[in-house]
Amino acid sequence: MRPLRTETGPLRSVRRSRRAAVTAVAAVLALCAPTASAGAPAADGHHRPCVGSRLPERGPARDILRIAERAKAEMDLKSVILRVTVDGREVVTTALGESMTGVPATPAMHFRNGNVAISYMGTALLRLVDRGEVRLDDPVARWLPGLEDGDRITLRMLAASTTGLVDYVRLPEFQRAVTSNPFRRWTADELVRLSTSKERWYEPGTNWSYSHADFVLLGAALERITGTRLDHLLRREVLGPLGLRETRNGFTPDVPSPVLHAFASDRGTYEESTFWNPSWTTAPGAVETTDICDLASSAVGIGSGRLLSPSSHRELLDPGTVGLGHATAKCPATVCLAQTEATHYGLGLLVLGDWVSQHPLFFGYSASQAYLPSKRLAIAVSTTNGPAAPGGHSAHTIAQRIAAALVPAHPIPDFG
């Protein structure tokens, strides 16, 4: 794995990582015997399923387990599945609780990865840039001629979410539609029209706000640029090279077996939400499911910039968003969030202190992938809700607590 070369900014600790003496992560490595990596090819060349690790009676793996157990009880979580690795070596992989009543959760179960797939789109775009096929500042009108202001909106703005397009997820009419019929299949055209029918929050490139419409459009642009369907493109450019065999797109609400079932109270009653239609969540072709082993590998592969040139990796982590984000008459501070050196949006991912992260939340599923490049530490967590769960990013909260225990000098801050 190529080490990061960033010397300043939120990942400035990377270059001094090898000079560190005894750290919490070094202690983890010392206490954890080498194991075969779950989800990796076995010696006979066959794919090894994602399985739980043997838990020692003491040490870092036991500490991580206790954190998960306490969080599960405190937040009334139905399940917690997690995996932690250091330098590619497994520290712990485990599953707590149930998928359904009487059905234990297991590490091999599949769940929706939500906006983690957006980081794959950002990386795929930068691979095209590395090959000279496009430039980040190319106007998207060339590939999306029907988009208003397409001559002023660039590929960079779509991937960094600085177009000013209203986020359709925040629109009352969209929220009513999803609540009344969560099984509805949404088309990309319907979703984009919801956003483009509203007045922009700001002029393209002058502010920052998360908009699902930006990533629906980015997916369409990537397809037009390459002449390749998005799911095939992401498999070729990202999922395949990173060995993410259990991560796949779905054009239906189906989840590959074994399934981690989800439950939600979004409609006023606690009900199963596993097969509610996720077609609105991002671009068609990037509506994916995964397992916890792939999520941990994804954290490493994307966070390390393994597939990118050094210059593209720098763009991935800060494409010019730092310094953007301020309230306007049209866009409140809770939407146009301040982008600081410490916490900001990259190209489809979050930089949170010294960590590279994503944490999707929807339809009763919460997940988190986080990578600390200076220690080569990856944390992946997936959770589902019990009837009294307060909601929110429970998986991300657990990842933050694990980070605080393993590397207290490198906390994972909140975004916004």
Side-chain angles (χ1 to χ4, degrees), residues 91-278:
V91 177
V92 62
T93 304
T94 194
L96 307 175
E98 296 180 317
S99 171
M100 297 185 294
T101 301
V103 180
T106 70
M109 286 181 168
H110 298 96
F111 50 88
R112 303 197 189 281
N113 68 357
N115 58 19
V116 169
I118 294 172
S119 68
Y120 304 154
M121 284 197 280
T123 292
L125 171 61
L126 287 168
R127 282 170 66 84
L128 299 179
V129 170
D130 279 340
R131 294 200 294 265
E133 297 180 30
V134 293
R135 296 174 300 173
L136 282 181
D137 295 317
D138 284 343
V140 300
R142 175 179 172 186
W143 303 284
L144 304 175
L147 179 64
E148 183 180 357
D149 289 332
D151 58 334
R152 295 196 297 144
I153 294 174
T154 65
L155 293 169
R156 181 193 301 272
M157 293 176 193
L158 288 180
S161 204
T162 61
T163 66
L165 284 173
V166 170
D167 187 359
Y168 56 78
V169 169
R170 294 181 177 271
L171 298 176
E173 58 266 40
F174 174 80
Q175 294 172 359
R176 287 192 298 268
V178 169
T179 300
S180 64
N181 182 12
F183 297 99
R184 173 178 171 177
R185 178 182 176 273
W186 294 82
T187 68
D189 286 344
E190 288 175 321
L191 297 171
V192 171
R193 276 200 303 271
L194 281 169
S195 289
T196 56
S197 66
K198 307 298 180 182
E199 188 177 2
R200 289 189 189 281
W201 276 328
Y202 49 84
E203 290 299 302
T206 63
N207 208 335
W208 184 90
S209 57
Y210 191 91
S211 176
H212 287 73
D214 287 342
F215 304 110
V216 175
L217 289 166
L218 177 62
L222 288 171
E223 289 190 334
R224 299 282 181 84
I225 291 166
T226 62
T228 305
R229 208 172 74 180
L230 183 60
D231 57 324
H232 294 168
L233 176 68
L234 295 181
R235 172 62 55 188
R236 183 186 77 199
E237 297 292 340
V238 181
L239 305 183
L242 292 182
L244 305 182
R245 299 190 183 187
E246 295 300 321
T247 304
R248 65 200 70 171
N249 169 71
F251 287 112
T252 74
D254 189 31
V255 179
S257 182
V259 180
L260 179 66
H261 287 251
F263 300 82
S265 302
D266 299 52
R267 305 200 304 164
T269 186
Y270 183 67
E271 59 187 331
E272 178 159 3
S273 55
T274 310
F275 301 107
W276 287 1
N277 200 313

